[in-house]
């Protein structure tokens, strides 16, 4: 049970930041958004509730992942692991063709490993990397992308299915509680009346991928809070990118840091989308994270996932 809790926590804190939060090599050097200025909210008839309601009720972000099953595309996956001095000690590179022209097929175009990646038994050194491999290198052929939205039902499920539901809730429905994770569940509810007193809200106008007009809605911890209060707040920053034309979500960044007797983590993650023939699909996922868990080796890793060359599979609608 503890192992699964750790693996789940270590990968579902997905999150592009303007500044690198963890002082080490950053594999993500692709800049996708240019900011113009702070938005005059009244003139635009926007307010905090407009953005929060859109975040809580949005289903298109989740749908974009489901849509991948209809497409053939190329995925480039880079994983880096680090020692205690934040020096790279392991590298994984995969270039994969996900073929959906008929029955799903996954073809490795490039497969490279360097440094401390595997244990003697052939398994990955880090649980974080193991879960990454499961979700992002096999996600399109597993129930991580099922035919239904994240479920809130209380029916009986296996342990793994329950953990996947918690993962999906945080990624696709931020602001909702994550039940079943000790000392964590309620800390994700950043939009409750009680939690809003600890956050500042800012709105920016910008351009995404050189052509798409967007709003950048940022929720960040107030700088003048006491150190004790800040330490008790898990989600330090949540940034959401909205397409001005239809108010759909094109990007999501999360910065989380928390420490207690069970674990100590510092994680940032980013997910970005783009349009292919007016269909929204994932294009970039980045992760930076440090984890310290009792009786386990400290985990330090970063990921960069790029999806490109989407082509609708033959016979797919």
């Amino acid at each position: 049970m503890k192992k699964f809790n750790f693996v789940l926590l270590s990968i579902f804190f997905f999150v592009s930041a303007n500044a690198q939060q963890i002082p080490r090599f950053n594999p993500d050097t692709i800049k996708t958004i240019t900011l113009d200025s702070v938005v005059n909210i009244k003139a635009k008839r926007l307010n905090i509730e407009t953005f929060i309601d859109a975040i809580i009720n949005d289903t298109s972000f989740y749908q974009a992942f489901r849509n991948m099953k209809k497409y053939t595309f190329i995925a480039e996956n880079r994983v880096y692991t680090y020692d205690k001095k934040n020096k790279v000690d392991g590298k994984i590179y995969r270039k994969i063709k996900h073929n959906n022209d008929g029955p799903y097929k996954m073809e490795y175009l490039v497969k490279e490993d360097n440094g401390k990646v595997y244990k003697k038994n052939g398994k990955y050194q880090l649980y974080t990397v193991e879960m990454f491999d499961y979700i992002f290198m096999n996600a399109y052929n597993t129930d991580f992308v099922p035919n239904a939205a994240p479920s809130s039902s209380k029916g009986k499920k296996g342990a793994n299915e329950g953990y996947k539901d918690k993962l999906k809730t945080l990624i696709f429905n931020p602001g909702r509680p994550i039940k079943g994770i000790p000392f964590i569940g309620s800390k994700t509810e950043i939009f409750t009346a009680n939690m809003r007193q600890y956050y500042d809200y800012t709105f920016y106008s910008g351009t995404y991928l050189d052509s798409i007009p967007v709003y950048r809605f940022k929720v960040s911890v107030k700088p003048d809070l006491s150190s004790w209060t800040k330490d008790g707040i898990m989600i330090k920053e949540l940034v959401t990118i909205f397409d001005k034309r239809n108010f759909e979500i094109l990007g999501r960044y999360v910065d989380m840091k928390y420490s207690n007797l069970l674990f100590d983590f510092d994680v940032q993650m980013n997910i970005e989308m783009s349009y292919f023939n007016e269909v929204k699909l994932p294009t970039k996922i980045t992760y930076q994270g440090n984890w310290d868990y009792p009786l386990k080796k400290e985990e330090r890793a970063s990921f960069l996932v790029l999806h490109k060359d989407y082509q609708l599979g033959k016979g797919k609608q």
Side-chain angles (χ1 to χ4, degrees), residues 15-17 20-31 76-82 86 88 90-93 132 268-270 284-289 300-306:
V15 286
S16 158
Q20 180 62 32
Q21 300 295 323
I22 300 175
R24 66 182 179 214
F25 170 70
N26 178 17
D28 181 17
T29 59
I30 302 173
K31 302 302 180 183
E76 286 194 76
N77 304 332
R78 291 175 173 83
V79 180
Y80 298 84
T81 61
Y82 306 86
N86 282 322
V88 175
K91 298 179 183 179
I92 299 172
Y93 175 69
F132 165 86
Q268 299 88 45
M269 191 159 181
N270 182 65
K284 184 172 77 168
I285 300 167
T286 64
Y287 167 100
Q288 285 274 18
R300 301 182 179 216
S302 62
F303 314 143
L304 172 60
V305 180
L306 299 176

Side-chain angles (χ1 to χ4, degrees), residues 3-198:
K3 175 181 176 181
F4 280 114
N5 270 327
F6 166 70
V7 173
L8 175 68
L9 284 167
S10 66
I11 192 65
F12 74 20
F13 295 130
F14 278 62
V15 286
S16 158
N18 291 328
Q20 180 62 32
Q21 300 295 323
I22 300 175
R24 66 182 179 214
F25 170 70
N26 178 17
D28 181 17
T29 59
I30 302 173
K31 302 302 180 183
T32 54
I33 186 169
T34 302
L35 297 181
D36 301 327
S37 59
V38 177
V39 176
N40 183 329
I41 301 172
K42 293 182 179 179
K44 298 293 183 180
R45 295 184 180 179
L46 298 174
N47 56 46
I48 292 173
E49 299 304 325
T50 305
F51 288 100
I52 291 177
D53 288 345
I55 291 171
I56 293 175
N57 297 314
D58 175 78
T59 58
S60 66
F61 208 69
Y62 180 75
Q63 183 63 39
F65 278 85
R66 292 178 58 196
N67 287 339
M68 286 192 297
K69 281 201 164 186
K70 299 178 181 180
Y71 288 81
T72 292
F73 63 97
I74 301 295
E76 286 194 76
N77 304 332
R78 291 175 173 83
V79 180
Y80 298 84
T81 61
Y82 306 86
D83 61 21
K84 292 184 178 181
K85 295 182 179 180
N86 282 322
K87 301 296 183 182
V88 175
D89 63 4
K91 298 179 183 179
I92 299 172
Y93 175 69
R94 302 283 188 270
K95 188 173 183 179
I96 304 170
K97 182 176 182 179
H98 296 277
N99 192 330
N100 276 296
D101 287 331
Y104 172 79
K105 295 180 181 179
M106 183 171 68
E107 177 186 358
Y108 286 96
L109 304 179
V110 181
K111 188 175 183 181
E112 299 175 351
D113 302 303
N114 295 285
K116 298 180 180 179
V117 175
Y118 300 100
K119 299 178 182 178
K120 292 181 179 179
N121 60 7
K123 293 184 177 181
Y124 287 112
Q125 289 273 359
L126 305 184
Y127 290 130
T128 309
V129 177
E130 183 179 331
M131 184 58 84
F132 165 86
D133 182 78
Y134 171 76
I135 292 177
F136 292 112
M137 292 174 63
N138 195 37
Y140 326 103
N141 196 31
T142 70
D143 56 3
F144 180 72
V145 190
N147 292 321
S151 172
S152 59
S153 64
K154 296 182 180 180
K156 292 183 179 180
K157 297 181 179 180
N160 286 348
E161 187 63 26
Y163 290 124
K164 292 172 189 173
D165 270 355
K166 295 180 179 68
L167 166 63
K168 288 182 288 187
T169 297
L170 186 60
I171 296 173
F172 301 111
N173 300 103
R176 295 185 180 181
I178 308 297
K179 298 179 180 179
I181 305 296
F183 308 107
I184 290 294
S186 62
K187 292 185 178 298
T188 60
E189 296 183 274
I190 64 173
F191 297 130
T192 62
N194 179 59
M195 289 299 292
R196 291 191 194 190
Q197 64 181 308
Y198 303 122

